[in-house]
Amino acid sequence: MTNKILELKDVRVNYGNIQALKGVNLNVAEGEIVSLIGANGAGKSTLLKSIVGLESLTNGNITFNGSSIRDAGKNRKLNLPTDKIIASGISLVPEGRGVFPEMTVLENLEMGAYLLRDKAEKKRRIEEKYEMFGILRDRRKQLAGSLSGGEQQMLAIARALMSSPKLLLLDEPALGLAPLIIQNIFATISKISREEKVTIFLVEQNAKMALSISDKGYVMETGNIILEDLSSNLLENPKVKAAYLGE
Amino acid sequence: MNLFNIPSNELLQHLINGLTLGAIYSLIALGYTMVYGILKFINFAHGEILMAGTYAGYYFYYFLYDPSKGAAYTIGIFIAALVIAMIASAILGVVIEKVAYKPLRKAPRLAPLLSAIGVSIILANLAALFFGTKSKKFEYPFNNSSMDIGGSSITPNQLMILAVGLIMMAGLKLFVDRTRLGKAMRATSQNQPVAALMGINVNLIISLTFAIGSALAAVAGVLIALEYKVYPTMGTMAGLKAFIAAVVGGIGNISGAMLGGIILGLLETFGVVILGIPQGLKDTIAFSVLILILLLRPSGILMKNIREKV
């Protein structure tokens, strides 16, 4: 049996009286690409934020590599702050890319390896990202805010990889991008999974794209997981076809 | 040169006066702007943090003061007093943030602002209670008789203010632009949740911001104290003026605060000379500038609006 790198057990998150997540159970095995699809407002982004500690759990527990990173209980050892979660080997590419607009491309990459003190290693990783995304090398001295949407997404992904994470979380990488660029982004994600040995958990409204590159998929509706299956099966599932693939 | 019928030697004099005043405003304005950049809130206790540090420096200086030990000793303890003032203000700034602002981080934006005003009133009154309301003279650690430079008289203290101001500002700029922590500070001010996603300890960066801003204010406080006096409300007007300077440069923008301070210092000095505004009404210049900036260019002169790409 493969090793579960990420496991969510009965995760609930409330915003005031509104339940954003209503008891989510989910797991991601090492080396896989897992996608979570669902409509706008289903709670997908909340789920990712709760994993990295940007939202507090009302109930449940999240483990990474077998140890607790978020917990609804009072024990602080089970509930790490965001910087400690990042240090343990998770990276998140946030929704809307979240590049630092008034920093250069190079500085954005440097921030991705903020916790790395070894300067030579930092340089090596930057060089590696330039090899992977040639456009970033050309624009390294430009302010990130001046890049196009697609370029910013590349930068956000490259920056997230700078910490050499074991698990990469992506929040709607296709959002607001042109179809051709979306294809490019997804090809890159699949390449990263193959070549970098990074486990990927992807949240996406573009269900067709997400399922076509992932091994396993979850379908979320208003705070609940309603379906869980191999992505290839989900692509053929009549319910998914009707609701998310527009067929 | 004969600008507005001012002889060139007087012009130089006013220029130096304006720059010195401006350097002090800049040093204080940096604290407002750095804190605003990260927390989007105006720390109205900043002037009182300046005052508290200045008192710390003052008492340290006079605890060790001994004219019989010679000039080098006096300058030595003065520099030490400056450092003590910086440390005292830095600690105070960090503690105030933890006690009075941090618990209100998720509260409506008016709440921390009111908390800041409350803290400033408390600090000014505590100072009056413990140190007395009578102002204290901070003697020059060196002979401050003016020198004749190009026909205008300039004091060593003015030169010191310019030099210290320049060093502090250049140092801050280098720190923020080049170092790992400085970059983390910029990242945090641009996008706090994403900064946390980089592994940055955001609370640590906020504390660091308060520490640096407060320490710079303490430097300004000691420099003001040499020229004027030390008293419980010494930070109020200086703080307000510096706040205006920060708004002029574009609040949240570090270079803007430096430039805004210099501009305000020059405007105040030349406003009196050129427009013939009486000395007693000098303060109206700064507040008129604030009103004009808020009406004409509320984002400040250096603020560029980078729109987020979708």
Side-chain angles (χ1 to χ4, degrees):
Chain A
M1 196 186 141
T2 45
N3 174 31
K4 283 179 194 165
I5 191 165
L6 179 74
E7 192 167 19
L8 280 75
K9 281 185 197 147
D10 197 21
V11 168
R12 288 164 204 262
V13 171
N14 289 359
Y15 292 120
N17 291 328
I18 302 155
Q19 291 185 306
L21 298 179
K22 299 172 182 169
V24 171
N25 290 291
L26 180 151
N27 62 70
V28 176
E30 197 164 359
E32 278 186 333
I33 302 183
V34 174
S35 59
L36 173 72
I37 59 172
N40 212 353
K44 305 188 303 299
S45 287
T46 306
L47 189 114
L48 287 188
K49 283 182 186 160
S50 66
I51 296 172
V52 294
L54 294 176
E55 295 291 350
S56 307
L57 307 193
T58 316
N59 184 57
N61 172 270
I62 302 174
T63 55
F64 173 60
N65 256 342
S67 46
S68 172
I69 51 169
R70 299 298 293 169
D71 194 83
K74 292 247 187 285
N75 190 343
R76 288 200 170 192
K77 281 184 187 155
L78 302 178
N79 206 7
L80 306 181
T82 303
D83 54 307
K84 295 281 188 301
I85 294 171
I86 302 307
S88 73
I90 300 182
S91 261
L92 167 63
V93 180
E95 186 179 352
R97 304 173 283 274
V99 296
F100 300 115
E102 287 172 67
M103 295 176 102
T104 64
V105 166
L106 173 61
E107 284 173 332
N108 268 273
L109 290 175
E110 286 173 351
M111 292 323 293
Y114 175 74
L115 294 169
L116 179 73
R117 299 291 192 135
D118 181 344
K119 280 191 180 160
E121 172 63 13
K122 198 177 280 191
K123 229 176 182 168
R124 195 193 63 75
R125 288 187 194 174
I126 290 172
E127 201 48 45
E128 197 180 82
K129 301 306 168 284
Y130 285 162
E131 290 299 315
M132 201 186 297
F133 306 96
I135 190 77
L136 297 183
R137 187 200 299 275
D138 301 339
R139 315 233 165 193
R140 63 189 181 277
K141 290 195 175 140
Q142 281 186 25
L143 292 183
S146 72
L147 303 184
S148 72
E151 289 163 352
Q152 288 190 6
Q153 190 58 265
M154 293 294 184
L155 175 58
I157 294 172
R159 183 181 63 179
L161 290 173
M162 281 296 292
S163 60
S164 296
K166 295 187 200 84
L167 173 65
L168 179 66
L169 310 172
L170 293 128
D171 194 353
E172 306 245 15
L175 193 72
L177 299 177
L180 220 64
I181 295 166
I182 295 177
Q183 283 196 357
N184 194 352
I185 298 270
F186 277 89
T188 306
I189 294 169
S190 163
K191 189 173 152 211
I192 290 167
S193 156
R194 280 197 312 273
E195 293 177 5
E196 310 280 315
K197 310 265 176 274
V198 184
T199 307
I200 292 176
F201 181 50
L202 170 73
V203 153
E204 190 50 72
Q205 279 191 61
N206 189 329
K208 196 168 193 171
M209 265 296 172
L211 293 174
S212 68
I213 65 157
S214 57
D215 304 297
K216 198 169 100 179
Y218 287 89
V219 181
M220 189 170 215
E221 255 174 30
T222 58
N224 285 309
I225 300 284
I226 55 155
L227 265 175
E228 168 189 356
D229 206 339
L230 293 176
S231 297
S232 49
N233 292 345
L234 287 175
L235 279 167
E236 298 304 321
N237 185 312
K239 239 173 119 182
V240 174
K241 271 186 168 174
Y244 299 101
L245 301 175
E247 288 173 20
Chain B
M1 202 164 81
N2 203 335
L3 190 70
F4 298 106
N5 291 323
I6 304 168
S8 65
N9 63 327
E10 274 185 39
L11 195 68
L12 180 68
Q13 176 82 65
H14 297 311
L15 189 67
I16 300 280
N17 291 350
L19 286 176
T20 345
L21 186 60
I24 290 191
Y25 289 154
S26 298
L27 281 177
I28 311 171
L30 284 166
Y32 282 108
T33 230
M34 288 167 73
V35 165
Y36 186 87
I38 289 203
L39 292 179
K40 301 289 172 283
F41 123 93
I42 309 291
N43 177 17
F44 274 117
H46 193 53
E48 280 61 43
I49 292 173
L50 170 153
M51 173 274 296
T54 310
Y55 268 106
Y58 170 85
Y59 281 111
F60 178 86
Y61 184 65
Y62 281 105
F63 182 68
L64 295 176
Y65 189 66
D66 184 356
S68 67
K69 289 194 176 166
Y73 174 80
T74 312
I75 289 182
I77 61 165
F78 174 73
I79 293 169
L82 195 62
V83 174
I84 292 287
M86 291 172 79
I87 293 171
S89 276
I91 293 173
L92 184 64
V94 170
V95 170
I96 290 173
E97 191 275 322
K98 295 263 182 250
V99 174
Y101 308 151
K102 195 179 171 196
L104 298 171
R105 230 178 258 169
K106 285 185 178 158
R109 287 172 66 173
L110 204 54
L113 200 69
L114 290 175
S115 184
I117 293 171
V119 169
S120 86
I121 295 171
I122 291 171
L123 288 178
N125 283 284
L126 282 178
L129 189 66
F130 288 115
F131 311 133
T133 49
K134 201 161 162 275
S135 48
K136 299 179 177 359
K137 183 81 189 95
F138 205 138
E139 294 295 336
Y140 295 108
F142 40 74
N143 178 359
N144 197 42
S145 41
S146 54
M147 305 172 287
D148 186 78
I149 296 174
S152 49
S153 68
I154 288 160
T155 65
N157 190 42
Q158 284 185 312
L159 292 179
M160 182 177 76
I161 291 174
L162 287 177
V164 170
L166 202 67
I167 292 167
M168 292 288 164
M169 286 189 260
L172 179 72
K173 195 83 185 116
L174 276 178
F175 171 78
V176 169
D177 284 348
R178 303 280 170 83
T179 67
R180 179 172 167 271
L181 277 174
K183 286 177 190 173
M185 208 177 242
R186 276 157 63 209
T188 307
S189 84
Q190 287 171 40
N191 192 333
Q192 198 166 304
V194 174
L197 290 176
M198 303 294 111
I200 295 169
N201 180 340
V202 170
N203 285 328
L204 183 83
I205 294 296
I206 291 173
S207 291
L208 183 69
T209 306
F210 271 85
I212 293 176
S214 304
L216 291 175
V219 172
V222 171
L223 296 176
I224 298 171
L226 289 180
E227 206 72 43
Y228 305 98
K229 286 188 166 125
V230 190
Y231 52 98
T233 53
M234 69 178 287
T236 313
M237 191 49 91
L240 268 178
K241 297 277 188 70
F243 166 64
I244 294 171
V247 173
V248 167
I251 189 117
N253 182 322
I254 287 181
S255 308
M258 298 180 187
L259 187 67
I262 299 292
I263 289 176
L264 193 64
L266 289 173
L267 281 177
E268 281 200 334
T269 311
F270 281 97
V272 172
V273 182
I274 294 166
L275 302 176
I277 294 169
Q279 271 291 342
L281 288 176
K282 200 174 117 181
D283 291 345
T284 54
I285 297 173
F287 294 103
S288 309
V289 168
L290 177 65
I291 292 167
L292 280 177
I293 277 283
L294 290 177
L295 283 175
L296 301 175
R297 201 176 158 81
S299 56
I301 46 178
L302 273 197
M303 222 44 165
K304 40 188 184 291
N305 292 315
I306 293 186
R307 233 173 269 144
E308 262 184 56
K309 286 235 171 65
V310 182

